Amino acid sequence: MNAHLQPTGSAYFIQQETAKEERHTLSVLVSNEPGVLARVIGLFSGRGYNIESLTVSETEHEAHLSRITIVTSGTAGVLEQIKSQLDRIVPVHRVVDLTVRARQLGQERPIEREVALVKVQGDGEQRAETLRLADAFHAKVVDATVSHFIFEITGKSSKIDQFVAIMKPLGLIEVCRTGIAAMNRGAQGM
């Protein structure tokens, strides 16, 4: 290689590292007022960030506060940007990265649970097998007829994914999932 073609201190020769994406669970405490959820979602969609799961509910009725739980993925820089931008939305009172908090507490992840309603055909020879498998997953029958079952199942998202996969060959009809609810272990609140 000629001396004049060798890489210099120029930024053009620096090989760009690809930052690793991580999945994080964020908890956002907001005022319970019209338009807040739309503003939070707008922040994500306007910047091209993906929301893997979103749940929201009023958690402190007297104080008119709601808790939004968002599961998203991104590089460390993107996740910091998301948290910073969420903090700047006026009715947002607090943003906590539950994934980071869990690691600070020496845990792998926060406690995460999801609820799903799963409708499955329940007739013929597979009826008993459907019930047996549902029982193995601790799924509760919330509706039953001679032709179908509706099961309620609670647990980690991976457990629900497994249950749905097992029910597919037995006649899965429909699935409705709540999204993830999450909090950290320990006595400290958000």
Side-chain angles (χ1 to χ4, degrees), residues 1-150:
M1 191 173 199
N2 294 338
H4 68 290
L5 296 177
Q6 290 181 353
T8 63
S10 169
Y12 293 108
F13 292 102
I14 297 174
Q15 192 171 21
Q16 191 173 10
E17 292 183 30
T18 55
K20 182 180 160 195
E21 280 205 4
E22 291 187 4
R23 178 182 174 270
H24 280 238
T25 304
L26 307 176
S27 190
V28 185
L29 193 63
V30 299
S31 296
N32 186 12
E33 56 189 51
V36 174
L37 182 60
R39 290 173 70 189
V40 169
I41 292 170
L43 179 145
F44 279 79
S45 65
R47 288 161 182 81
Y49 305 143
N50 187 41
I51 296 175
E52 295 176 24
S53 175
L54 174 74
T55 59
V56 61
S57 182
E58 186 174 62
T59 55
E60 297 180 39
H61 185 68
E62 295 80 28
H64 300 289
L65 295 176
S66 290
R67 183 173 176 151
I68 302 172
T69 304
I70 303 167
V71 179
T72 190
S73 293
T75 62
V78 166
L79 292 165
E80 280 304 315
Q81 188 176 16
I82 289 170
K83 290 184 280 188
S84 174
Q85 290 170 348
L86 282 171
D87 256 334
R88 285 185 263 182
I89 296 176
V90 172
V92 171
H93 297 276
R94 187 153 190 217
V95 178
V96 176
D97 187 331
L98 297 177
T99 305
V100 169
R101 172 81 56 84
R103 290 177 186 158
Q104 291 168 345
L105 296 170
Q107 298 147 8
E108 189 177 328
R109 298 220 30 95
I111 301 289
E112 296 180 346
R113 294 294 181 266
E114 187 173 5
V115 177
L117 296 175
V118 181
K119 188 184 291 185
V120 182
Q121 287 179 325
D123 54 1
E125 296 173 9
Q126 294 180 330
R127 188 172 178 87
E129 180 67 3
T130 301
L131 284 171
R132 186 187 69 74
L133 288 169
D135 186 53
F137 276 84
H138 303 289
K140 179 181 167 187
V141 176
V142 293
D143 185 54
T145 69
V146 294
S147 64
H148 79 277
F149 295 105
I150 297 178

